[in-house]
Structures are given as structure tokens and as C-alpha cells.
Amino acid sequence: SYVLTQPPSVSVAPGKTARITCGGNNIGGKSVHWYQQKPGQAPVLVIYYDGDRPSGIPERFSGSNSGNTATLTISRVEAGDEADYFCQVWDSSSAAYVFGAGTKVTVL
Amino acid sequence: EMQLVESGGGLVQPGGSLRLSCAASGFTFSTYSMNWVRQAPGKGLEWVSYISGSSRTIYYADSVKGRFTISRDNAKNSLYLQMNSLRAEDTAVYCCARETNDGGHFDYWGQGTLVTVSS
């Protein structure tokens, strides 16, 4: 089955840029979606189709996808961005949705 | 306002059964595919099952195949998950999630219902 690999944690100072990677075999050939989850809350879609933003999501959130790595970038990080972030794809070979294990973003 | 509200969770012994429900409101339920996603305590998200709007297409994660059954009643705007032969590793918060019409990702999630499998 398809595996998505994320770093367990990323730390970033306020105002700086956080980059969260999601690795997978030829992930560039798939559409990658990203979710933000704060403690005790349901996940929120922040990026879909690699780099599109749902309405209401700040422009500080962006995404890219190429080769074996997709990246979620959070610019000008704020304290409110502290959360877990999960990448997700559809694996057609196994007819299954796959999530990465998640990355905890800590704002220093 | 769009809402997804899960119910039916609880404590069940290993080998037991439970039926989860998800009540949808605020959108035309029958036109959307729906999913169940679970999250074990302190762990990440795990997709469980998918059902198309017409119920014609259904998928399951390998970890639940043969034990769980997804279904829906569009007349009642409800999604269900019948869980049989439950194991300790099925302990998790189970959320229903709406799939976008262009497919592949989830735009609305419920808050979830906790299922605990323990003797």
C-alpha cells in the first residue's frame, strides 16, 4: 500500500516560514491535500490539489508537489498556526485514501 | 449551516459490535460521497471507508475489510458504519467527512464519536 512520510515535528519562530514535507513514491503524480488539526477539534482543509486554498484560508498557506515530495508552506507564522498537519492522497492502485502520520508544528 | 453530527460510540468488548450514525444537515446529502475517518488516541488520521452518493461504490481500508459495513439513507440524510468483530486496535474517535464534488479530499468533518474496545 502507498505510504506518506512526514516529519514528526517542525518548530518555527513567529514571523518565520514553516515548511512541512510529505514524501511518497512519485507523489508528484498524485493530488495532495493538507489538513490542519488543533487539539480537540476536527481537521480543517487548508490546501487541496497540491496548492489551492479553500475560501477562508489565509494566503500565508501554500503548497507545492513535485517528484517524491509535496510541501506545505506557512509564511509569516503566527501563534494560531500551532497545530498538527496531515497530508492526504488517493491511492488508485489500492482504492484507498492515505494520510501521512502528521507533523506537529510548534511556534516558538 | 452545514453540520455533521456523529453518534453511537461507546464502550464495547472485544469481538462485539457497534453501529455508528452520522446525521447530515445544511446541504443536499444525496449528491455527496461520504467517508468515515478514525483517529486513535494521540495518533494520526486513518481513513476507514467511502460510499458514493448513490451507494453504488464502496471502499474499505484493509484494516476493517470484512468486519465493517458502510451504508447511507439519503431519505434520512444519514450515514452509518456497522462495526463487527471489534478489536482493541479499533479504539478511536470516528468522524464522518464529506467529500468534495470534484473528489479526492474532504471539506467538512464532524466532531466524531469515541469508540472504546476493551474488556
Side-chain angles (χ1 to χ4, degrees), chain B residues 46-60:
Chain B
E46 180 188 12
W47 171 77
V48 173
S49 185
Y50 160 98
I51 187 168
S52 64
S54 65
S55 302
R56 207 165 293 160
T57 302
I58 287 174
Y59 301 120
Y60 296 100

Side-chain angles (χ1 to χ4, degrees), chain A residues 1-2 8 11 27 43-44 46 65 67 73-74 79-80 84 93 98:
Chain A
S1 59
Y2 195 76
S11 297
I27 195 174
V44 172
V46 293
N65 183 20
T73 301
I74 311 173
D84 293 324
S93 62
V98 180

Side-chain angles (χ1 to χ4, degrees), chain B residues 72-104:
Chain B
R72 64 191 295 161
D73 185 337
N74 288 339
K76 295 182 178 179
N77 290 338
S78 293
L79 174 72
Y80 306 102
L81 187 67
Q82 177 67 42
M83 304 186 297
N84 299 331
S85 303
L86 283 162
R87 307 165 179 167
E89 54 265 35
D90 295 318
T91 294
V93 172
Y94 286 72
C95 297
C96 56
R98 190 181 83 166
E99 186 162 328
T100 61
N101 275 330
D102 50 357

Side-chain angles (χ1 to χ4, degrees), chain A residues 1 31 33 35 37 40-45 48-49 84 86 88-90 94-102, chain B residues 35 37 39 43-47 50 59-62 65 95 99-100 102-111:
Chain A
S1 59
S31 293
H33 317 289
Y35 302 87
Q37 186 181 34
Q41 298 184 19
V44 172
L45 180 70
Y48 63 101
Y49 290 139
D84 293 324
F86 298 90
Q88 175 251 314
V89 301
W90 165 252
S94 60
Y97 288 106
V98 180
F99 286 96
Chain B
N35 292 263
V37 179
Q39 188 167 30
K43 302 296 184 183
L45 302 172
E46 180 188 12
W47 171 77
Y50 160 98
Y59 301 120
Y60 296 100
D62 286 343
K65 206 171 290 184
C95 297
E99 186 162 328
T100 61
D102 50 357
H105 53 288
F106 316 125
D107 59 353
Y108 284 100
W109 299 63
Q111 287 295 324

Side-chain angles (χ1 to χ4, degrees), chain B residues 6-78:
Chain B
E6 302 89 342
S7 60
L11 175 64
V12 61
Q13 291 189 337
S17 298
L18 215 52
R19 189 194 194 208
L20 306 183
S21 299
C22 169
S25 60
F27 66 101
T28 307
F29 181 70
S30 62
T31 64
Y32 286 88
S33 299
M34 297 295 296
N35 292 263
W36 286 100
V37 179
R38 68 185 181 183
Q39 188 167 30
K43 302 296 184 183
L45 302 172
E46 180 188 12
W47 171 77
V48 173
S49 185
Y50 160 98
I51 187 168
S52 64
S54 65
S55 302
R56 207 165 293 160
T57 302
I58 287 174
Y59 301 120
Y60 296 100
D62 286 343
S63 58
V64 306
K65 206 171 290 184
R67 300 187 299 123
F68 290 11
T69 302
I70 192 171
S71 63
R72 64 191 295 161
D73 185 337
N74 288 339
K76 295 182 178 179
N77 290 338
S78 293

Side-chain angles (χ1 to χ4, degrees), chain A residues 56-83:
Chain A
I57 300 301
E59 290 184 7
R60 302 184 297 102
F61 288 82
S62 62
S64 63
N65 183 20
S66 178
N68 292 318
T69 304
T71 303
L72 172 69
T73 301
I74 311 173
S75 305
R76 303 181 298 284
V77 166
E78 302 173 357
D81 299 331
E82 193 162 276

